[in-house]
Amino acid sequence: MAFKVLLAETRGFCAGVERAITVVNRALEKFGSDKVYVLHEVVHNKHVVADLAVRGAHFVEHLDEIPDPENKVVIFSAHGVSLDTIAAAHDKKLTVIDATCPLVRRIHFKVQKAAQEHKEVVIIGHDGHQEVLGTVGQFAGPHDLIHVILTTDDVDKLELKTKSAIFATQTTLSIDETAKTVAALKEKFTFIEGPRQDDTCFATQHRQAAVKLLAESCDLVIVAGSQNSSNSRRLSEVAQNAGARSFLIDDCSAITPEMLDLEHVNSVGVTAGASVPEYIVTEILEYLKAHGATEVISVGPAQTKRVFPLPDSLD
Ligand code: SF4
């Protein structure tokens, strides 16, 4: 069955992910593979992590897993870490290189400032996600003055203890769903301060706008990305909310005949989360061509190219 493919022009690696991967590669060059440890997946993509592990990077979940820390380098992932983790790394005399995305760091500074000003903080995000754990961990105030919520139902249940509060959001949330939560929050707590809309980053916004365009014209939207990638999961959800069938897959090996359902498909959309290497997209396109795709049409505006500077120690 012949079908066409619509490919989102704005897809794949964002500036923060490019920076984090470059940080690991530069550290490997500078310090040697026996010395470089990365705390958590540097970005949430299994292929990126596997590729860097082959180059010699060691991935750990706890600083205690790093042997002989005084002679080792630890890289913090793009999602950021807590103040406690930073202090613990310095206590262990690890050489610290921070690959936290600068847009996440911007939120960290807001949370730190709120703690200094004795303000309560509401984080809109997925509780337990690495970025949210890091952001919450930037709050040096009492634990009962910081809250993590996600939905409007959570706003209904939320009780603040003071009349002085700020809100901030995870960078990779659904724009539409977050707008509802922010509106409910501002309505219930009229004194709360925060961004005009939210803290979702430009990469998240542009990729969600692009996948909406795909979903308008496609029966099926394939999103490349790992299951633990927040921004990739949101892309698949946005496509579904816009009326298309959608699947989130790590690579073309996950595509099945049932998924494609070629008897009923005229057009297939393809996009990729912000942590997905372009070779994964190329492989998916090759697979689709081998299964009947007659043409690949690029859709939407070209990607906004931004480059974030590297940490001084690697420049
Ligand atoms: S998705 Fe946004 S916040 Fe996350 S690394 Fe990319 S640019 Fe930074």
Side-chain angles (χ1 to χ4, degrees):
M1 190 84 179
F3 62 95
K4 63 184 176 185
V5 172
L6 302 191
L7 176 64
E9 265 292 307
T10 298
R11 65 176 185 276
F13 279 179
C14 62
V17 164
E18 298 235 28
R19 175 180 184 269
I21 294 170
T22 304
V23 164
V24 179
N25 280 319
R26 288 275 181 94
L28 286 168
E29 286 161 17
K30 182 169 177 178
F31 299 100
S33 61
D34 54 332
K35 286 205 166 27
V36 176
Y37 286 72
V38 184
L39 184 62
H40 310 306
E41 292 190 349
V42 68
V43 300
H44 283 157
N45 184 268
K46 76 172 200 180
H47 291 288
V48 170
V49 171
D51 292 346
L52 290 172
V54 166
R55 300 206 61 208
H58 304 271
F59 289 88
V60 295
E61 288 303 309
H62 302 283
L63 295 177
D64 292 343
E65 295 170 50
I66 304 175
D68 187 20
E70 292 188 22
N71 294 307
K72 299 291 167 33
V73 175
V74 67
I75 298 172
F76 297 147
S77 78
H79 310 100
V81 296
S82 67
L83 295 173
D84 286 350
T85 299
I86 297 168
H90 288 299
D91 283 352
K92 286 176 175 288
K93 299 198 168 36
L94 281 153
T95 300
V96 172
I97 302 176
D98 192 357
T100 305
C101 177
L103 302 185
V104 175
R105 282 299 288 153
R106 210 163 61 183
I107 299 167
H108 286 183
F109 294 135
K110 286 200 285 188
V111 171
Q112 287 175 9
K113 185 164 176 275
Q116 285 159 7
E117 295 172 350
H118 308 290
K119 289 182 177 170
E120 206 158 351
V121 174
V122 179
I123 304 291
I124 302 173
H126 294 270
D127 206 1
H129 184 277
Q130 209 65 53
E131 181 185 325
V132 173
L133 292 173
T135 302
V136 169
Q138 294 287 324
F139 186 72
H143 290 318
D144 62 346
L145 291 189
I146 186 157
H147 315 266
V148 179
I149 65 164
L150 185 61
T151 65
T152 53
D153 284 349
D154 296 335
V155 175
D156 288 344
K157 290 179 217 144
L158 180 66
E159 294 300 334
L160 296 184
K161 296 178 178 58
T162 68
K163 291 270 183 241
S164 175
I166 70 150
F167 77 90
T169 77
Q170 194 178 338
T171 54
T172 50
L173 297 177
S174 154
I175 310 293
D176 296 340
E177 296 306 311
T178 307
K180 293 178 201 163
T181 306
V182 169
L185 195 63
K186 286 180 173 174
E187 192 182 333
K188 181 167 177 180
F189 305 106
T190 51
F191 54 85
I192 200 162
E193 302 165 48
R196 197 165 56 84
Q197 287 177 306
D198 56 46
D199 296 298
T200 57
C201 70
F202 74 99
T204 294
Q205 294 167 12
H206 294 177
R207 279 156 189 69
Q208 287 183 21
V211 83
K212 270 189 189 172
L213 275 182
L214 291 186
E216 280 171 12
S217 320
C218 296
D219 314 292
L220 166 67
V221 174
I222 295 175
V223 179
S226 290
Q227 290 294 333
N228 64 343
S229 163
S230 173
N231 83 84
S232 303
R233 288 180 76 108
R234 302 293 86 74
L235 290 179
S236 190
E237 287 170 8
V238 168
Q240 287 173 29
N241 290 340
R245 284 193 304 123
S246 181
F247 295 94
L248 175 64
I249 57 170
D250 263 304
D251 51 51
C252 65
S253 69
I255 301 176
T256 62
E258 294 74 29
M259 188 185 286
L260 288 183
D261 191 16
L262 291 178
E263 292 298 312
H264 303 101
V265 161
N266 292 312
S267 51
V268 175
V270 175
T271 188
S275 45
V276 178
E278 184 63 12
Y279 74 82
I280 298 293
V281 175
T282 304
E283 288 172 6
I284 290 172
L285 295 178
E286 291 306 319
Y287 179 99
L288 294 175
K289 283 180 199 162
H291 287 77
T294 50
E295 56 180 335
V296 177
I297 304 163
S298 288
V299 172
Q303 173 133 228
T304 310
K305 264 288 170 204
R306 286 181 70 175
V307 179
F308 293 145
L310 293 175
D312 290 344
S313 57
L314 293 176
D315 229 356

